[in-house]
Amino acid sequence: MTGLRWFAALAVFFHHSAAHESLPDPVRRIMGAGSNGVTFFFLLSGFVIALNYFDGATRPTPRSTWNYLIGRLARVYPLYLLVLVVVWLAVDHHSNVSRFLIQALALQSWHPSLVVTYGINAPGWSIGVEFFLYACFPLLVLALRPIANNARALLAVAAATIVAAFVLAALFQHFRNGLPATNPFSAHRWLYRTPATRLGDFTLGMVTALLLRQAKLSWPASASWNRVLSPSLTWLPVVATLLLMAWPDRTRYYASYDALWMLPGALLFFGLGQYPRSALSRLLSTRFIVFLGEVSFAFYLVHRPLMQLVGEAAWMNDDLLTYVAKLTLLVAAIIAAAAACHFLWERPAQRLVNRYLKIRTPAAPTATPASASEVGDRPQDLRVEVAVDAAEEGKVLTRVAEERT
């Protein structure tokens, strides 16, 4: 899943790139459809967070809820704030302070103005959506808890979520057709960049994770059966996504903002989770791809300012070979900048925030040596020690899960 993040971030990069007129039309259309990378991000957030936190969130306590929220904040906000401040001071310092504060509080995705939403550092709008989804997770857990072990009910919720997204897109197609993205009533605002309508992506990701848990317990173990299902649930969603991206009539339908990509994304995550030894899973698990996935969040945040800094839009006037060479060098440069941000700031800041803001389990009191008879007289001491050991082990597992997330 970490490696998969890289390809979603790269899709967004190509979406923001000016497609050279000499490129084949399907390639140009695939580049233009790269905005679907954010749908995969929101789906993947729900999927991974449910795998790591769902069981703990079914019995929430103030401490566990606080630690979850701090963990999510530590994962996203330090790097987001750093890039925002640097871009604001270096490039967009003419923006007023109130607009900067909206961005710093990650509230821009709720604003009706596209100028505000995409202000300072445009990709940052999705962070506001992520924060909203993180906050909704405990409530979604309470809603899904009664059916968490019911595969049929989970499939029904997944189907209803996808159908609702298509119905909403059809309504905007009928009643708000043709409105530009700058219009506050446009489909672009309400289907693409408004946090509330992205709950469907996040919920579908969570449901996919719960279905994966059920499949791990009941999926058929037949080798011949799995030889068919493994490529069908891994490569087939990728091929379907690329075909939809290359579809000439895709831009005519508002479902391409979000709904069109939900089912392929959910199937892909399920397939990769169910078949970790499949060819695609092994490819995404190679060391270099995992490294790219680890720096993908930094890549996503810094790519747009660096593209504007080098004047990438003017490269369309070059010949095709020069255009491809420049674009390749730009990707390499952004990866280098992202790696520096990730290792020098993102990971240290994440550890720092987790260390000082999370509520820790109280340490066990130091016990004096006792004879076997003394311990036998006080069985509660053994229970305390076992509970503390379990709590410490849980902290380690949670910390590992957060690092992987």
Side-chain angles (χ1 to χ4, degrees), residues 17-158:
S17 303
H20 199 280
E21 59 183 9
S22 298
L23 289 171
D25 287 342
V27 175
R28 290 165 56 87
R29 289 194 291 268
I30 288 174
M31 290 177 65
S35 59
N36 64 357
V38 295
T39 295
F40 281 83
F41 278 135
F42 298 145
L43 282 167
L44 192 55
S45 289
F47 182 81
V48 175
I49 291 174
L51 286 179
N52 283 281
Y53 291 103
F54 189 90
D55 288 334
T58 57
R59 296 176 296 276
T61 64
R63 185 180 69 183
S64 65
T65 303
W66 171 262
N67 285 348
Y68 158 75
L69 293 174
I70 291 299
R72 294 294 87 210
L73 181 74
R75 175 67 182 86
V76 173
Y77 193 70
L79 183 60
Y80 167 75
L81 185 61
L82 174 68
V83 176
L84 177 68
V85 171
V86 170
V87 174
W88 184 58
L89 294 177
V91 179
D92 203 42
H93 55 273
H94 60 274
S95 296
N96 57 44
V97 176
S98 62
R99 181 175 297 181
F100 171 79
L101 289 177
I102 291 175
Q103 303 280 334
L105 295 173
L107 297 174
Q108 68 269 39
S109 52
W110 294 99
H111 202 283
S113 171
L114 186 66
V115 175
V116 174
T117 301
Y118 285 0
I120 305 181
N121 186 23
W125 71 270
S126 66
I127 308 306
V129 179
E130 289 280 9
F131 282 161
F132 172 73
L133 299 178
Y134 294 160
C136 289
F137 174 73
L139 300 177
L140 291 172
V141 169
L142 295 179
L144 294 173
R145 181 174 60 184
I147 62 169
N149 298 316
N150 187 331
R152 291 185 178 180
L154 291 171
L155 284 172
V157 172

Side-chain angles (χ1 to χ4, degrees), residues 1-16 30-31 33-45 123 126 130 192 238 241-242 245 261 265 268-269 284 289 292-297 299-301 303:
M1 295 304 170
T2 299
L4 195 61
R5 291 182 184 274
W6 159 249
F7 291 97
L10 189 63
V12 176
F13 168 83
F14 282 124
H15 172 69
H16 290 149
I30 288 174
M31 290 177 65
S35 59
N36 64 357
V38 295
T39 295
F40 281 83
F41 278 135
F42 298 145
L43 282 167
L44 192 55
S45 289
S126 66
E130 289 280 9
Y192 183 69
V238 174
T241 300
L242 291 174
M245 294 172 75
W261 321 109
L268 178 59
F269 302 155
L284 293 172
I289 298 298
L292 293 176
E294 289 175 346
V295 304
S296 61
F297 179 54
F299 182 96
Y300 174 78
L301 285 180
H303 82 275

Side-chain angles (χ1 to χ4, degrees), residues 378-391:
R378 294 183 283 115
Q380 68 272 18
D381 290 349
L382 291 178
R383 289 197 295 270
V384 170
E385 291 177 9
V386 170
V388 170
D389 289 342

Side-chain angles (χ1 to χ4, degrees), residues 209-260:
L210 296 177
L211 284 169
L212 177 63
R213 294 200 316 180
Q214 294 300 305
K216 290 290 186 183
L217 298 175
S218 59
W219 202 259
S222 169
S224 58
W225 184 252
N226 286 332
R227 275 197 297 269
V228 175
L229 289 177
S230 177
S232 299
L233 291 174
T234 53
W235 289 109
L236 193 59
V238 174
V239 173
T241 300
L242 291 174
L243 290 176
L244 288 171
M245 294 172 75
W247 180 28
D249 292 333
R250 170 187 54 80
T251 56
R252 294 176 51 192
Y253 301 101
Y254 288 151
S256 63
Y257 279 133
D258 184 25
L260 204 59

